[in-house]
Amino acid sequence: MNRMWAALILLMLVSCQGETTTVHNIENRSNKDIKILVYRFGAPLGDTLRLNSGQTKRLTLTTSDTAQEESPPCAEGIDSAYSEIAGGGTLTKEIQFDFNWASETEATDGLPQDYNHTCTFVIRNSDIAE
């Protein structure tokens, strides 16, 4: 009888894979208001985001029914972005490169373990050419 319970518990643990949630944010740490439209696989990714100075907005939220400990490439599939800077200027930081994104991973307690990844593209005053 004990073997049957052990086998049942093992089967339940193996069949549970956990989940992964990935959030992509754009954070405006500059002192200017910004409009940005991101392109992914050659098409606009949603609507134009309007970010006031100091504001953060979510670009995407994806979930997967498998636990993935490693953070995915944050810029995967992102081709480019069109931006408008209030009062003029040009965004010089390119969104399509992973090294321009900050990434954080959080693992949840419990079995199976779930993972939450947050990718953030931060825009600072130094990223804007006048």
Side-chain angles (χ1 to χ4, degrees):
M1 191 66 144
N2 287 338
R3 283 186 171 176
M4 186 173 96
W5 282 110
L8 182 60
I9 291 171
L10 181 61
L11 178 63
M12 287 174 31
L13 289 176
V14 170
S15 65
C16 297
Q17 297 180 11
E19 290 184 344
T20 301
T21 301
T22 304
V23 176
H24 287 78
N25 294 320
I26 297 181
E27 182 177 342
N28 181 7
R29 289 190 192 168
S30 78
N31 60 4
K32 297 189 173 200
D33 295 343
I34 299 171
K35 293 180 187 176
I36 189 164
L37 178 60
V38 177
Y39 289 84
R40 187 172 188 180
F41 301 114
L45 181 61
D47 296 327
T48 299
L49 294 178
R50 289 164 172 70
L51 294 121
N52 295 326
S53 178
Q55 191 173 28
T56 300
K57 288 198 176 178
R58 182 169 53 203
L59 184 62
T60 64
L61 170 78
T62 57
T63 58
S64 169
D65 60 358
T66 58
Q68 182 181 1
E69 184 175 359
E70 291 293 318
S71 179
C74 290
E76 186 173 31
I78 295 177
D79 308 315
S80 61
Y82 172 77
S83 60
E84 288 181 22
I85 312 296
T90 303
L91 181 62
T92 59
K93 188 176 194 178
E94 297 179 300
I95 198 168
Q96 66 267 30
F97 298 116
D98 282 323
F99 58 80
N100 285 331
W101 289 80
S103 178
E104 294 180 21
T105 297
E106 177 186 2
T108 62
D109 293 334
L111 288 174
Q113 197 163 41
D114 295 334
Y115 293 94
N116 298 314
H117 305 291
T118 303
C119 295
T120 306
F121 183 76
V122 179
I123 301 169
R124 296 177 177 82
N125 286 329
S126 60
D127 300 320
I128 300 171
E130 295 299 323

